[in-house]
Amino acid sequence: MRNHLSIGLGFNATKQSPAGTLIYQITDKNGNAQVFNEINSTELSVNIRYAPNEQFYQGKLYRTPIFNQYPIFNFNYTAGLKDVFNGDYSYHNFNIGAFKRFYLSQLGYADIDVAGTYIAGKGIPFPFLTIHRANQTYAYQLNSYNLMNFLEFVSDHHASANIQYYMNGFLLNKIPVIKMLKLREVFSFKAVYGGLRDENNPENSNQVFDFQKNKDGQQSSYTFGSKPYMEASVGLSNIFKILRVDYVRRLNYLDNPGAPKSGIRARIKFDF
């Protein structure tokens, strides 16, 4: 709309079937397992986005938002509809988020993205909960946790923060010879913390799917403990004008099977 408020409606009917090592099963208190070959969901959703004073690069077919000092707000509500088009589950998913760019004069700028989710309902299996976005590739992904394994953390309520700080060469431009390369410093910090209510936690309920296990039979999916998951990185951007390379360090939950402690990640990014 003209006031930069946008509203979207969605309807989705999905059939999911597990493949590979993914198993949908429920184990009762006697140790008997019931395996599910498919699950069905029917969802109705509404999304509200408000971006005051937003500007765009306008093309013939698409337009690209230009980030400025004004915040962007998002709200999404999704309702799971049981017994509608074969939907198996009823739930209510509320998600709210905000993004803002902070300009720090000669010290560059920082992008801060915060979000929170609450999923209401009982007996909801993990495919319909929040499976936090992981990344097991060598590409640095802005909106994923780059040292988290796939399906590692599951929650039905959580809060998260993602900070990307671009120093724009404030330090490197003062070093002889190095400054000729026009490299730019970049730092990041990501954290997420949440939980799983007893009625949706397979460790306390035999009405939901078991947590996943790896090929060695070790549990590989978890809910959060007493601390948030955290990772941080330091890197260089504007390498050959297009490349960003980060050293990423995972700060906790290092005892989880297969959890990496650190890694090098790269991202193609055009700087002007």
Side-chain angles (χ1 to χ4, degrees):
M1 303 177 185
R2 290 183 180 274
N3 62 356
H4 301 280
L5 178 71
S6 59
I7 300 174
L9 298 175
F11 179 81
N12 184 34
T14 304
K15 178 188 293 186
Q16 299 184 44
S17 298
T21 59
L22 188 66
I23 298 176
Y24 293 163
Q25 72 174 28
I26 295 176
T27 304
D28 63 24
K29 60 183 179 180
N30 297 318
N32 299 315
Q34 179 184 4
V35 177
F36 292 76
N37 294 322
E38 68 177 45
I39 56 174
N40 297 277
S41 65
T42 303
E43 296 179 337
L44 183 66
S45 63
V46 57
N47 177 265
I48 300 173
R49 181 179 185 270
Y50 180 51
N53 300 293
E54 187 172 41
Q55 297 173 308
F56 300 91
Y57 289 117
Q58 182 68 57
K60 292 182 178 180
L61 298 177
Y62 304 101
R63 61 182 187 178
T64 302
I66 302 171
F67 292 129
N68 53 33
Q69 71 270 32
Y70 298 101
I72 299 173
F73 302 98
N74 275 290
F75 171 77
N76 180 269
Y77 166 69
T78 300
L81 306 177
K82 186 176 182 179
D83 298 326
V84 177
F85 291 98
N86 298 318
D88 294 327
Y89 301 96
S90 176
Y91 50 86
H92 303 274
N93 187 324
F94 303 88
N95 177 271
I96 189 169
F99 169 89
K100 190 178 188 312
R101 172 164 290 182
F102 293 87
Y103 291 95
L104 307 173
S105 187
Q106 295 183 1
L107 295 177
Y109 64 92
D111 289 340
I112 298 181
D113 199 342
V114 295
T117 295
Y118 186 86
I119 302 174
K122 297 182 179 180
I124 309 172
F126 72 85
F128 304 120
L129 300 177
T130 301
I131 301 174
H132 296 280
R133 296 181 61 171
N135 177 27
Q136 290 184 254
T137 73
Y138 290 105
Y140 184 90
Q141 297 180 4
L142 291 177
N143 296 316
S144 300
Y145 300 96
N146 290 285
L147 291 181
M148 183 186 290
N149 292 326
F150 296 135
L151 292 171
E152 185 174 358
F153 289 101
V154 179
S155 68
D156 58 19
H157 59 281
H158 85 276
S160 64
N162 180 353
I163 302 172
Q164 301 284 327
Y165 173 40
Y166 303 88
M167 194 175 280
N168 276 353
F170 179 78
L171 298 176
L172 296 177
N173 285 346
K174 295 177 174 58
I175 303 176
V177 181
I178 296 295
K179 67 180 182 180
M180 299 175 61
L181 300 176
K182 297 183 179 181
L183 300 176
R184 299 173 182 177
E185 315 88 337
V186 58
F187 307 88
S188 77
F189 175 77
K190 300 179 183 181
V192 57
Y193 185 61
L196 196 58
R197 300 189 305 278
D198 288 348
E199 59 264 32
N200 296 323
N201 190 335
E203 295 180 350
N204 300 302
S205 171
N206 57 10
Q207 301 299 315
V208 295
F209 293 166
D210 298 343
F211 279 138
Q212 293 300 292
K213 296 182 179 180
N214 60 23
K215 62 181 180 180
D216 298 320
Q218 298 174 303
Q219 182 176 320
S220 58
S221 293
Y222 307 88
T223 186
F224 295 99
S226 59
K227 298 179 180 179
Y229 170 90
M230 296 180 290
E231 68 180 36
S233 73
V234 57
L236 296 174
S237 67
N238 202 40
I239 302 173
F240 307 120
K241 301 292 184 181
I242 62 170
L243 185 64
R244 167 179 169 175
V245 177
D246 285 71
Y247 170 77
V248 189
R249 178 78 179 183
R250 178 166 165 157
L251 303 179
N252 54 3
Y253 293 102
L254 299 175
D255 294 331
N256 289 356
K261 294 183 179 179
S262 62
I264 302 295
R265 301 291 184 267
R267 174 179 173 82
I268 300 296
K269 180 178 183 294
F270 292 92
D271 287 318
F272 299 99

